[in-house]
Amino acid sequence: MGFDLKRAIRGRVWKFGDSVESDAINPYYRFPTLEELKLHTLEVYRPEFPREVRPGDIIVAGRNFGCGSSRPGLVLREVGVAAIVAESVSRLFLRNSISRAIPIFVAPGVTGIVEDAQTLEVDYPQGVVRNPGSGRTVALRKFPPMIEQIFECGGLPEFARERYMREAALVARGKS
């Protein structure tokens, strides 16, 4: 299932600071099943998060979100997080999120326009993140076209499969 970058995302904010570690997002070493992970994700930073997060919520974070080891953030999608918007994201966490089509965006200045529990809107087509309550906005960094295609396909494995199928069909047509 792909992720539609053409639609705006609007949700309640969970605000985090700088350097949120991937081990706190996905503490698989302590909780080996997905159901257990869902009960403990991000509790190191916000103990109430696993109990109170709701489908459609948005994580807003400071610099270096997802730093640390190569733990994927899939559990965030499983608890209903609609998007992650951060000042900056660790390279590995960003790549892992894109490869799994987890909506993650870099918007320098985002922590200055919204507070915890406020509403935030992510308008990727317009390249803007806005706080509808205050009217404050910041620019959203756009992805290269190939990354957008990965999101549309539902992740890197799906993108690779679709690309292979298109290329195989072209080769087959060329042989007939």
Side-chain angles (χ1 to χ4, degrees):
M1 174 173 66
F3 177 76
D4 185 5
L5 288 172
K6 295 177 190 89
R7 70 173 178 83
I9 303 166
R10 188 179 179 121
R12 176 181 66 156
V13 168
W14 285 87
K15 194 169 176 183
F16 291 85
D18 294 338
S19 300
V20 173
E21 295 182 45
S22 59
D23 286 341
I25 297 166
N26 182 358
Y28 85 96
Y29 53 90
R30 293 186 57 207
F31 309 104
T33 70
L34 183 57
E35 290 309 310
E36 289 176 297
L37 280 175
K38 288 164 59 173
L39 299 173
H40 298 282
T41 185
L42 288 168
E43 73 179 353
V44 170
Y45 296 101
R46 304 273 308 265
E48 74 280 15
F49 182 82
R51 292 186 316 275
E52 297 177 15
V53 66
R54 298 290 173 258
D57 286 353
I58 295 174
I59 290 177
V60 170
R63 296 182 318 269
N64 202 24
F65 185 81
C67 62
S69 57
S70 66
R71 311 279 178 261
L74 188 60
V75 67
L76 297 176
R77 180 170 47 200
E78 294 297 317
V79 298
V81 170
I84 302 162
V85 185
E87 302 273 344
S88 68
V89 180
S90 83
R91 289 181 309 195
L92 186 54
F93 193 85
L94 180 65
R95 285 164 44 191
N96 282 339
S97 296
I98 291 168
S99 74
R100 296 170 190 273
I102 296 169
I104 188 164
F105 304 98
V106 176
V110 69
T111 58
I113 68 164
V114 69
E115 294 303 322
D116 203 46
Q118 290 183 328
T119 299
L120 190 70
E121 186 175 281
V122 180
D123 188 341
Y124 183 80
Q126 297 300 314
V128 68
V129 176
R130 76 178 53 84
N131 178 330
S134 69
R136 297 179 70 190
T137 64
V138 293
L140 176 70
R141 290 190 183 152
K142 300 282 266 196
F143 293 112
M146 183 175 280
I147 301 296
E148 291 176 349
Q149 291 172 2
I150 291 170
F151 274 109
E152 289 169 16
C153 289
L156 190 56
E158 295 81 1
F159 171 79
R161 182 181 186 287
E162 285 187 23
R163 183 172 173 178
Y164 170 78
M165 297 304 284
R166 280 193 312 272
E167 291 174 4
L170 287 174
V171 168
R173 272 190 235 131
K175 290 183 179 178
S176 15

